[in-house]
Amino acid sequence: MTMQEINTHRKSFPTKQQVMEQTPDPAVRAMLAHLEAQGVETLFDRFDAQKPQCGYGLAGTCCRHCNMGPCRITEKSPRGVCGADADVIVARNLLRWMAAGVSAHGARGREVMLALKAAAEGRFSRPIAGVEKVRAVARSFGIDDKGEEGNVTLEQLAGRIADRLLEDLSRTVPGPHGTLAAMAPPERIERWRELGILPISAYHEVFEALHRTGTGTDGDWRNLMTHLLRCGLAFAWSSVVGSAIAMDSLYGPPVRQRIAANFGALKAESVNIAIHGHSPVMASAIVQAAESPELVARARALGADGIRLYGICCSGLSSMYRYGAVHPLSNAVGAELILGTGALDLWVADMQDVLPGIMNVAECFHTIVVTTSDSCRLPGAVHIAFAADHGNLDQADEMAHRIVAMAVENFPRRQAANVFIPETSIDAEIGFSVENILADFGGAAALAEHLQTGRIRGIVNLVGCNNPKVVYEKAIKDVADVLLSKDILVLTNGCASFPLLKLGYCLPEALEKAGPGLQAALAGKGLPPVWHMGECLDNARASGLFRALADALGRPLPQMPFAFASPEWSNEKGLGAALSFRLMGLNSYHCVPAPVFGSDKVRRFLEEETEALLGSVMVVVADPGQLGERIATDLEERRNQLGL
Ligand code: SF4
């Protein structure tokens, strides 16, 4: 990207004022105006204060990897002190982000894998709820579910699965990655083998990424990109699929249901607790504790009508689709707006996308913030957490009881005059999984037939986080509008799913936004045109559905009219998510570019050269409407090549 391109990019960043005028959810607009009037700072103020953003940062051409630096690439200084050029610096920076993404999903996966193992061995008092999942995964893994005497218990199977997942997460001695070998499409495994990118384990690939990006190690941008691909596979098959298997095995599959979403679901009469973060372990215990007759009675004695739970980001979403009654309010970027209602008695945060800025807003009100992970502490928060070695997992129920009790006792401290809740609320259909979707249609072949006949032109997994570089939540809505109008079915999860939940896209009535083909395909089924598959780890459900449909049509994934889109992505996990779909042969589409434009070589690798390697590329189009059009055009091209 030339300096002129960077300046154009920088000038496209919206101001807070533009967000207040253009973000699509009226409740968000009302809340931003309210907090502005109250003088409460939010992420959008801080984004404005950071302007103009550093051009070297945007181009990816600054390096702080050693103390001879920092170095930046300019015409006058085309190499860092060590001799690294722009291509190497951009590639190294990207690879370190990727390693962070593998670690992030992997770390919360580790927590639930350890919980599954502990439950299987009787050290964690949680029944194994995913009976069918455990049996199906055991079959995929080739684990004998009968045993010599035909008496292998569910717990023993779950324990062996947990061991396999933990081994794939942390293997040090090189060997096959068991989850990938058992579950990835054979055509893809062969391709990855030819490219030499089969991973050893998540831990190893992150270790190696940090090693080779260190001073004076890998000076070849292309070799760094090869390791980026290897990390992408570790991300997909350990950090995402492995974690998702552990979650569904321990806590059970999603339950299809309807739930009230957005600010209006927040009730001033109740003891209100927000669940924020990414791990289901403490979140599940809190849902259980909130049903305690003793705590509910105490809440009523203090004048509340009960205890009510709300979902922020992904641990909120996964609790919602498993247990119901956890009302989705906001993604991570909007978390401060929820705190700004003054109606939350307690905010429990586990890990990741818990932005430090939430504490500044919480301090303006009576809200107690509790952190529950040793990896994620916030000054001013109460810390009731699992130990770093998770040796106190068996105390989860007792800790959850204490946390809910704190919320109940805090209810009388709420100042009614400080409470402001925009009334907007809407129902949403949630809990879509591969299993229940295929059951709805009577099997993969019936759904695939809609692709074959062209009633459904393609399927897009529309996900990702949010980014103040574009108008909050608007890019996601705009892309969805284009896709639906062109008869493209939308899957969603994670932070991007919140605007779709809040703006009615997850209701059957939203079919009126769809073209006639998609309407015909879903007519009479009572299904919305956007299928909410859960939290960001549930990209595993989307890729599972894609695989099932490709198999039903007897075609490899890189030929199928499927795509991944994260228009507003911002964090390291988002980089991994997009790459993991590209590794499957599906393009990824974005409005916000990665900081790779300081290197034509790295940029060309991602935007063009991976077509020959993987059958997919990264596509960046700043305008969301045009991005939607580009996705539709590319899916039509795939249909043409398939002869559909
Ligand atoms: S690693 Fe090289 S480019 Fe990076 S800060 Fe050190 S000397 Fe500069």
Side-chain angles (χ1 to χ4, degrees):
M1 186 183 261
T2 63
M3 209 56 211
Q4 192 180 356
E5 282 180 295
I6 289 172
N7 282 334
T8 305
H9 176 45
R10 214 167 10 200
K11 281 183 185 153
S12 74
F13 298 167
T15 62
K16 178 185 174 187
Q17 188 59 39
Q18 287 170 316
V19 174
M20 290 170 67
E21 291 163 6
Q22 297 172 24
T23 191
D25 179 356
V28 169
R29 293 198 297 270
M31 203 62 218
L32 281 168
H34 173 71
L35 292 182
E36 170 97 341
Q38 302 291 310
V40 178
E41 177 194 281
T42 67
L43 175 147
F44 301 99
D45 296 294
R46 295 190 294 273
F47 185 71
D48 275 356
Q50 286 291 333
K51 291 174 180 168
Q53 276 77 6
C54 169
Y56 300 101
L58 291 169
T61 50
C62 56
C63 182
R64 295 187 297 103
H65 288 201
C66 88
N67 208 20
M68 292 194 287
C71 300
R72 58 190 181 179
I73 299 302
T74 66
E75 275 184 28
K76 178 172 92 47
S77 58
R79 291 178 183 271
V81 175
C82 67
D85 62 14
D87 302 318
V88 168
I89 289 175
V90 168
R92 286 195 310 211
N93 287 340
L94 200 64
L95 182 51
R96 285 212 167 177
W97 271 16
M98 188 65 218
V102 179
S103 303
H105 272 327
R108 56 123 148 195
R110 171 179 172 267
E111 182 165 287
V112 73
M113 289 170 202
L114 290 173
L116 177 65
K117 182 172 170 62
E121 295 171 357
R123 293 180 287 106
F124 178 42
S125 60
R126 189 91 200 177
I128 309 273
V131 177
E132 292 307 317
K133 187 72 178 182
V134 168
R135 296 207 183 284
V137 172
R139 282 193 294 278
S140 295
F141 281 179
I143 296 172
D144 184 358
D145 68 352
K146 300 282 188 302
E148 281 179 21
E149 289 90 32
N151 59 356
V152 177
T153 66
L154 181 72
E155 287 71 22
Q156 286 170 324
L157 284 180
R160 290 178 198 176
I161 290 170
D163 286 341
R164 178 78 62 95
L165 299 176
L166 286 162
E167 171 66 7
D168 285 341
L169 188 73
S170 61
R171 178 178 300 104
T172 52
V173 178
H177 189 288
T179 308
L180 181 155
M183 294 186 159
E187 177 270 340
R188 288 284 89 186
I189 295 178
E190 199 41 44
R191 188 80 275 258
W192 301 330
R193 192 189 315 282
E194 288 164 4
L195 294 172
I197 58 171
L198 287 171
I200 293 171
S201 69
Y203 282 18
H204 172 78
E205 304 312 340
V206 170
F207 189 85
E208 176 59 11
L210 295 177
H211 169 221
R212 68 170 66 197
T213 54
T215 319
T217 306
D218 200 341
D220 179 344
W221 72 269
R222 191 178 286 280
N223 204 38
L224 289 158
M225 286 293 99
T226 300
H227 195 66
L228 184 94
L229 300 183
R230 208 173 278 125
C231 279
L233 289 177
F235 179 94
W237 295 100
S238 272
S239 303
V240 176
V241 173
S243 304
I245 289 170
M247 293 211 319
D248 274 3
S249 296
L250 182 54
Y251 295 108
V255 180
R256 283 268 283 280
Q257 54 200 296
R258 190 173 265 234
I259 191 138
N262 214 347
F263 283 86
L266 188 50
K267 297 297 176 206
E269 307 77 39
S270 307
V271 171
N272 292 323
I273 302 173
I275 297 171
H276 180 186
H278 285 83
S279 171
V281 180
M282 186 66 87
S284 295
I286 283 173
V287 172
Q288 203 169 297
E291 292 170 355
S292 151
E294 173 209 331
L295 291 174
V296 172
R298 177 66 180 154
R300 291 195 175 130
L302 291 172
D305 68 357
I307 302 170
R308 209 165 151 94
L309 302 175
Y310 305 93
I312 311 296
C313 202
C314 287
S315 45
L317 289 174
S318 65
S319 300
M320 167 189 84
Y321 69 60
R322 290 205 168 85
Y323 312 116
V326 181
H327 301 275
L329 296 187
S330 178
N331 39 44
V333 162
E336 291 162 313
L337 308 183
I338 305 301
L339 277 161
T341 62
L344 273 299
D345 301 300
L346 188 136
W347 187 280
V348 59
D350 48 74
M351 59 180 81
Q352 301 165 24
D353 297 312
V354 179
L355 308 183
I358 67 169
M359 294 308 294
N360 301 336
V361 185
E363 282 162 8
C364 299
F365 302 95
H366 76 301
T367 311
I368 297 170
V369 177
V370 177
T371 48
T372 62
S373 165
D374 215 44
S375 304
C376 176
R377 294 196 69 157
L378 294 168
V382 178
H383 195 55
I384 300 176
F386 294 123
D389 66 357
H390 288 79
N392 59 345
L393 265 176
D394 61 338
Q395 294 166 28
D397 288 343
E398 184 268 328
M399 288 190 279
H401 191 92
R402 276 169 58 203
I403 292 167
V404 175
M406 283 171 63
V408 170
E409 297 302 327
N410 199 31
F411 173 76
R413 293 180 54 229
R414 195 192 302 166
Q415 303 282 323
N418 286 344
V419 172
F420 175 84
I421 305 175
E423 287 179 4
T424 310
S425 177
I426 192 165
D427 281 359
E429 301 277 346
I430 55 165
F432 286 82
S433 67
V434 178
E435 294 80 2
N436 65 40
I437 289 166
L438 298 187
D440 273 342
F441 283 85
L447 180 54
E449 197 202 338
H450 289 303
L451 283 166
Q452 209 158 17
T453 60
R455 282 185 214 103
I456 298 176
R457 307 301 297 177
I459 308 179
V460 173
N461 191 35
L462 178 56
V463 298
C465 27
N466 306 94
N467 194 325
K469 289 178 176 167
V470 292
V471 173
Y472 178 54
E473 297 187 330
K474 184 173 184 299
I476 295 155
K477 175 196 179 296
D478 289 353
V479 170
D481 283 338
V482 174
L483 298 180
L484 295 181
S485 73
K486 294 185 177 295
D487 293 321
I488 295 167
L489 181 66
V490 172
L491 314 177
T492 192
N493 68 52
C495 283
S497 72
F498 279 91
L500 301 174
L501 284 167
K502 297 185 298 173
L503 297 170
Y505 288 79
C506 298
L507 284 171
E509 296 86 311
L511 260 187
E512 67 186 26
K513 299 177 194 292
L518 185 54
Q519 288 194 17
L522 302 185
K525 292 202 169 295
L527 292 174
V530 174
W531 294 351
H532 195 281
M533 301 191 110
E535 58 132 320
C536 53
L537 269 191
D538 291 316
N539 275 328
R541 298 191 202 285
S543 58
L545 185 63
F546 287 161
R547 167 88 191 272
L549 295 172
D551 286 352
L553 292 178
R555 302 290 192 149
L557 269 171
Q559 294 179 9
M560 293 296 291
F562 303 146
F564 172 96
S566 56
E568 301 186 13
W569 78 282
S570 62
N571 67 30
E572 303 101 331
K573 290 177 290 184
L575 192 69
L579 179 56
S580 61
F581 278 83
R582 294 204 298 276
L583 284 156
M584 297 295 275
L586 306 176
N587 288 353
S588 74
Y589 295 85
H590 320 275
C591 292
V592 181
V596 296
F597 299 110
S599 166
D600 288 342
K601 288 176 182 164
V602 171
R603 184 178 182 180
R604 203 176 312 118
F605 178 83
L606 297 170
E607 295 182 352
E608 297 172 23
E609 289 181 20
T610 52
E611 182 67 52
L613 303 177
L614 306 172
S616 64
V617 292
M618 177 181 81
V619 179
V620 181
V621 179
D623 179 83
Q626 288 175 17
L627 185 75
E629 296 284 348
R630 171 69 189 270
I631 297 170
T633 302
D634 288 355
L635 294 184
E636 287 301 322
E637 175 63 26
R638 284 194 170 210
R639 293 186 64 85
N640 287 339
Q641 287 180 4
L642 268 177
L644 293 178

